[in-house]
Short mmCIF file of all heavy atoms in Angstrom, two decimals:
data_model
loop_
_atom_site.label_atom_id
_atom_site.label_comp_id
_atom_site.label_asym_id
_atom_site.label_seq_id
_atom_site.Cartn_x
_atom_site.Cartn_y
_atom_site.Cartn_z
N GLY A 117 4.98 134.65 -139.30
CA GLY A 117 3.67 134.40 -139.88
C GLY A 117 2.82 133.41 -139.13
O GLY A 117 1.72 133.06 -139.59
N LYS A 118 3.29 132.95 -137.97
CA LYS A 118 2.54 131.96 -137.20
C LYS A 118 2.21 132.50 -135.81
O LYS A 118 2.79 133.48 -135.37
CB LYS A 118 3.34 130.66 -137.10
CG LYS A 118 3.56 129.97 -138.44
CD LYS A 118 4.22 128.62 -138.25
CE LYS A 118 4.37 127.90 -139.58
NZ LYS A 118 4.99 126.55 -139.42
N GLN A 119 1.30 131.84 -135.14
CA GLN A 119 0.94 132.24 -133.79
C GLN A 119 2.00 131.80 -132.80
O GLN A 119 2.83 130.95 -133.10
CB GLN A 119 -0.41 131.63 -133.42
CG GLN A 119 -0.38 130.10 -133.31
CD GLN A 119 -1.73 129.52 -132.95
OE1 GLN A 119 -2.76 130.20 -133.02
NE2 GLN A 119 -1.77 128.27 -132.55
N ARG A 120 1.94 132.38 -131.62
CA ARG A 120 2.83 131.98 -130.55
C ARG A 120 2.45 130.59 -130.07
O ARG A 120 1.28 130.32 -129.80
CB ARG A 120 2.74 132.98 -129.39
CG ARG A 120 3.77 132.74 -128.30
CD ARG A 120 3.58 133.70 -127.13
NE ARG A 120 2.49 133.31 -126.27
CZ ARG A 120 2.34 133.73 -125.01
NH1 ARG A 120 3.23 134.56 -124.49
NH2 ARG A 120 1.30 133.34 -124.30
N ASP A 121 3.44 129.73 -129.94
CA ASP A 121 3.20 128.35 -129.51
C ASP A 121 3.86 128.07 -128.17
O ASP A 121 4.99 128.51 -127.91
CB ASP A 121 3.75 127.35 -130.54
CG ASP A 121 2.93 127.29 -131.81
OD1 ASP A 121 1.73 127.59 -131.75
OD2 ASP A 121 3.51 126.96 -132.86
N PHE A 122 3.19 127.30 -127.35
CA PHE A 122 3.74 126.84 -126.09
C PHE A 122 4.86 125.84 -126.34
O PHE A 122 4.74 124.99 -127.22
CB PHE A 122 2.63 126.21 -125.26
CG PHE A 122 3.13 125.43 -124.07
CD1 PHE A 122 3.55 126.10 -122.93
CD2 PHE A 122 3.18 124.05 -124.09
CE1 PHE A 122 4.01 125.40 -121.83
CE2 PHE A 122 3.62 123.34 -123.01
CZ PHE A 122 4.05 124.01 -121.87
N VAL A 123 5.93 125.94 -125.54
CA VAL A 123 7.03 125.00 -125.65
C VAL A 123 7.17 124.16 -124.38
O VAL A 123 7.15 122.93 -124.42
CB VAL A 123 8.36 125.72 -125.93
CG1 VAL A 123 9.53 124.73 -125.94
CG2 VAL A 123 8.30 126.48 -127.24
N ALA A 124 7.31 124.84 -123.22
CA ALA A 124 7.53 124.12 -121.96
C ALA A 124 7.18 125.03 -120.80
O ALA A 124 7.28 126.25 -120.91
CB ALA A 124 8.97 123.65 -121.84
N ALA A 125 6.77 124.43 -119.67
CA ALA A 125 6.44 125.18 -118.47
C ALA A 125 6.99 124.47 -117.25
O ALA A 125 7.16 123.25 -117.25
CB ALA A 125 4.93 125.38 -118.34
N LEU A 126 7.23 125.25 -116.22
CA LEU A 126 7.75 124.74 -114.95
C LEU A 126 6.98 125.37 -113.80
O LEU A 126 6.80 126.59 -113.77
CB LEU A 126 9.24 125.08 -114.84
CG LEU A 126 10.00 124.61 -113.59
CD1 LEU A 126 11.44 124.29 -113.95
CD2 LEU A 126 9.95 125.65 -112.47
N ARG A 127 6.52 124.54 -112.87
CA ARG A 127 5.82 125.03 -111.68
C ARG A 127 6.83 125.16 -110.55
O ARG A 127 7.50 124.20 -110.19
CB ARG A 127 4.70 124.07 -111.30
CG ARG A 127 3.81 124.54 -110.17
CD ARG A 127 2.54 123.72 -110.09
NE ARG A 127 2.81 122.30 -109.96
CZ ARG A 127 1.93 121.33 -110.25
NH1 ARG A 127 0.73 121.66 -110.72
NH2 ARG A 127 2.23 120.07 -110.09
N LYS A 128 6.92 126.34 -109.99
CA LYS A 128 7.97 126.63 -109.02
C LYS A 128 7.83 125.81 -107.74
O LYS A 128 8.83 125.43 -107.14
CB LYS A 128 7.96 128.12 -108.67
CG LYS A 128 8.32 129.04 -109.80
CD LYS A 128 8.24 130.49 -109.33
CE LYS A 128 8.56 131.47 -110.42
NZ LYS A 128 8.43 132.88 -109.95
N SER A 129 6.61 125.55 -107.30
CA SER A 129 6.40 124.93 -105.99
C SER A 129 6.98 123.53 -105.89
O SER A 129 7.48 123.14 -104.83
CB SER A 129 4.91 124.89 -105.68
OG SER A 129 4.23 124.10 -106.64
N ASP A 130 6.93 122.77 -106.97
CA ASP A 130 7.42 121.40 -106.93
C ASP A 130 8.29 121.02 -108.12
O ASP A 130 8.62 119.85 -108.31
CB ASP A 130 6.24 120.42 -106.84
CG ASP A 130 5.28 120.55 -108.00
OD1 ASP A 130 5.53 121.37 -108.92
OD2 ASP A 130 4.26 119.82 -108.01
N GLU A 131 8.66 122.01 -108.92
CA GLU A 131 9.52 121.81 -110.10
C GLU A 131 8.86 120.89 -111.13
O GLU A 131 9.55 120.36 -112.00
CB GLU A 131 10.88 121.25 -109.69
CG GLU A 131 11.64 122.09 -108.69
CD GLU A 131 12.08 123.45 -109.24
OE1 GLU A 131 12.47 123.52 -110.41
OE2 GLU A 131 12.00 124.44 -108.49
N ASN A 132 7.56 120.75 -111.06
CA ASN A 132 6.86 119.95 -112.07
C ASN A 132 6.98 120.62 -113.43
O ASN A 132 6.94 121.86 -113.52
CB ASN A 132 5.38 119.82 -111.69
CG ASN A 132 4.64 118.86 -112.60
OD1 ASN A 132 4.11 119.26 -113.64
ND2 ASN A 132 4.60 117.61 -112.23
N THR A 133 7.14 119.82 -114.47
CA THR A 133 7.31 120.38 -115.81
C THR A 133 6.34 119.72 -116.79
O THR A 133 5.86 118.60 -116.57
CB THR A 133 8.74 120.17 -116.33
OG1 THR A 133 9.04 118.76 -116.33
CG2 THR A 133 9.75 120.91 -115.47
N ARG A 134 6.04 120.44 -117.84
CA ARG A 134 5.24 119.87 -118.94
C ARG A 134 5.77 120.44 -120.25
O ARG A 134 6.34 121.54 -120.26
CB ARG A 134 3.75 120.16 -118.76
CG ARG A 134 3.37 121.62 -118.73
CD ARG A 134 1.86 121.80 -118.46
NE ARG A 134 1.47 123.20 -118.46
CZ ARG A 134 1.05 123.86 -119.54
NH1 ARG A 134 0.98 123.24 -120.71
NH2 ARG A 134 0.69 125.13 -119.45
N TYR A 135 5.53 119.71 -121.33
CA TYR A 135 6.11 120.07 -122.62
C TYR A 135 5.11 119.90 -123.75
O TYR A 135 4.20 119.07 -123.68
CB TYR A 135 7.32 119.17 -122.91
CG TYR A 135 8.46 119.31 -121.94
CD1 TYR A 135 8.52 118.53 -120.79
CD2 TYR A 135 9.46 120.25 -122.15
CE1 TYR A 135 9.55 118.68 -119.88
CE2 TYR A 135 10.50 120.41 -121.24
CZ TYR A 135 10.54 119.61 -120.11
OH TYR A 135 11.58 119.76 -119.21
N ALA A 136 5.33 120.67 -124.79
CA ALA A 136 4.58 120.44 -126.01
C ALA A 136 5.01 119.10 -126.59
O ALA A 136 6.18 118.70 -126.45
CB ALA A 136 4.86 121.56 -127.01
N ASP A 137 4.09 118.41 -127.22
CA ASP A 137 4.40 117.09 -127.77
C ASP A 137 5.58 117.15 -128.75
O ASP A 137 6.38 116.22 -128.84
CB ASP A 137 3.18 116.51 -128.48
CG ASP A 137 2.10 116.07 -127.50
OD1 ASP A 137 2.42 115.90 -126.30
OD2 ASP A 137 0.95 115.92 -127.94
N SER A 138 5.69 118.25 -129.46
CA SER A 138 6.71 118.37 -130.50
C SER A 138 8.13 118.45 -129.95
O SER A 138 9.09 118.24 -130.70
CB SER A 138 6.43 119.60 -131.37
OG SER A 138 6.43 120.77 -130.57
N VAL A 139 8.28 118.74 -128.65
CA VAL A 139 9.61 118.88 -128.09
C VAL A 139 9.91 117.87 -126.99
O VAL A 139 11.02 117.85 -126.46
CB VAL A 139 9.85 120.32 -127.56
CG1 VAL A 139 9.55 121.34 -128.64
CG2 VAL A 139 9.05 120.59 -126.29
N LYS A 140 8.95 117.05 -126.63
CA LYS A 140 9.15 116.07 -125.57
C LYS A 140 10.32 115.16 -125.89
O LYS A 140 10.45 114.67 -127.01
CB LYS A 140 7.88 115.24 -125.38
CG LYS A 140 6.81 115.90 -124.57
CD LYS A 140 5.60 114.98 -124.41
CE LYS A 140 4.50 115.65 -123.61
NZ LYS A 140 3.28 114.81 -123.52
N GLY A 141 11.16 114.95 -124.88
CA GLY A 141 12.33 114.10 -125.05
C GLY A 141 13.53 114.80 -125.66
O GLY A 141 14.63 114.23 -125.68
N ARG A 142 13.32 116.02 -126.14
CA ARG A 142 14.44 116.77 -126.75
C ARG A 142 14.77 118.03 -125.96
O ARG A 142 15.94 118.43 -125.90
CB ARG A 142 14.09 117.15 -128.19
CG ARG A 142 13.81 115.98 -129.10
CD ARG A 142 13.66 116.44 -130.56
NE ARG A 142 12.53 117.35 -130.76
CZ ARG A 142 12.66 118.58 -131.28
NH1 ARG A 142 13.85 119.04 -131.63
NH2 ARG A 142 11.58 119.33 -131.46
N PHE A 143 13.77 118.68 -125.38
CA PHE A 143 13.96 119.93 -124.65
C PHE A 143 13.78 119.70 -123.16
O PHE A 143 12.97 118.86 -122.75
CB PHE A 143 12.95 120.98 -125.10
CG PHE A 143 13.14 121.52 -126.50
CD1 PHE A 143 14.02 120.93 -127.40
CD2 PHE A 143 12.41 122.62 -126.92
CE1 PHE A 143 14.18 121.43 -128.68
CE2 PHE A 143 12.57 123.14 -128.20
CZ PHE A 143 13.44 122.53 -129.08
N THR A 144 14.51 120.49 -122.36
CA THR A 144 14.39 120.43 -120.91
C THR A 144 14.34 121.84 -120.34
O THR A 144 15.26 122.64 -120.59
CB THR A 144 15.56 119.67 -120.27
OG1 THR A 144 15.62 118.35 -120.83
CG2 THR A 144 15.38 119.57 -118.77
N ILE A 145 13.29 122.14 -119.58
CA ILE A 145 13.17 123.44 -118.91
C ILE A 145 13.68 123.29 -117.49
O ILE A 145 13.42 122.28 -116.82
CB ILE A 145 11.71 123.95 -118.95
CG1 ILE A 145 11.62 125.36 -118.38
CG2 ILE A 145 10.78 122.99 -118.23
CD1 ILE A 145 10.24 126.01 -118.55
N SER A 146 14.39 124.30 -117.01
CA SER A 146 14.91 124.27 -115.64
C SER A 146 15.09 125.71 -115.16
O SER A 146 14.99 126.65 -115.94
CB SER A 146 16.23 123.50 -115.57
OG SER A 146 17.23 124.16 -116.34
N ARG A 147 15.40 125.86 -113.88
CA ARG A 147 15.62 127.20 -113.35
C ARG A 147 16.67 127.16 -112.27
O ARG A 147 16.96 126.13 -111.67
CB ARG A 147 14.32 127.78 -112.79
CG ARG A 147 13.85 127.13 -111.49
CD ARG A 147 12.53 127.70 -111.03
NE ARG A 147 12.09 127.09 -109.77
CZ ARG A 147 11.86 127.78 -108.67
NH1 ARG A 147 12.02 129.10 -108.66
NH2 ARG A 147 11.47 127.18 -107.57
N ASP A 148 17.28 128.33 -112.04
CA ASP A 148 18.20 128.54 -110.92
C ASP A 148 17.55 129.62 -110.07
O ASP A 148 17.61 130.81 -110.42
CB ASP A 148 19.57 128.95 -111.43
CG ASP A 148 20.59 129.07 -110.31
OD1 ASP A 148 20.21 129.43 -109.18
OD2 ASP A 148 21.78 128.82 -110.57
N ASN A 149 16.92 129.22 -109.00
CA ASN A 149 16.17 130.15 -108.18
C ASN A 149 17.07 131.22 -107.57
O ASN A 149 16.69 132.39 -107.50
CB ASN A 149 15.43 129.39 -107.08
CG ASN A 149 14.40 130.25 -106.39
OD1 ASN A 149 13.77 131.09 -107.01
ND2 ASN A 149 14.22 130.05 -105.10
N ALA A 150 18.26 130.83 -107.15
CA ALA A 150 19.18 131.78 -106.53
C ALA A 150 19.59 132.89 -107.48
O ALA A 150 19.81 134.03 -107.08
CB ALA A 150 20.41 131.04 -106.01
N LYS A 151 19.71 132.53 -108.77
CA LYS A 151 20.14 133.51 -109.77
C LYS A 151 18.96 134.15 -110.49
O LYS A 151 19.17 135.01 -111.35
CB LYS A 151 21.06 132.84 -110.79
CG LYS A 151 22.37 132.32 -110.20
CD LYS A 151 23.22 131.68 -111.29
CE LYS A 151 24.53 131.16 -110.72
NZ LYS A 151 25.38 130.52 -111.77
N ASN A 152 17.74 133.68 -110.17
CA ASN A 152 16.54 134.19 -110.83
C ASN A 152 16.65 133.99 -112.34
O ASN A 152 16.35 134.91 -113.12
CB ASN A 152 16.32 135.67 -110.49
CG ASN A 152 14.90 136.11 -110.75
OD1 ASN A 152 13.97 135.30 -110.78
ND2 ASN A 152 14.72 137.40 -110.97
N MET A 153 17.07 132.81 -112.73
CA MET A 153 17.26 132.48 -114.14
C MET A 153 16.38 131.31 -114.54
O MET A 153 16.12 130.39 -113.76
CB MET A 153 18.72 132.10 -114.39
CG MET A 153 19.72 133.23 -114.17
SD MET A 153 19.66 134.49 -115.45
CE MET A 153 20.25 133.57 -116.87
#
């Protein structure tokens, strides 16, 4: 019943990340480039 909300993003070029205020300090976004995950 709610709209889609942003949680976290990662910029591939420098691994910079940003988070929604509601998840800062609790969630961590990351990637494994070799595994495309």
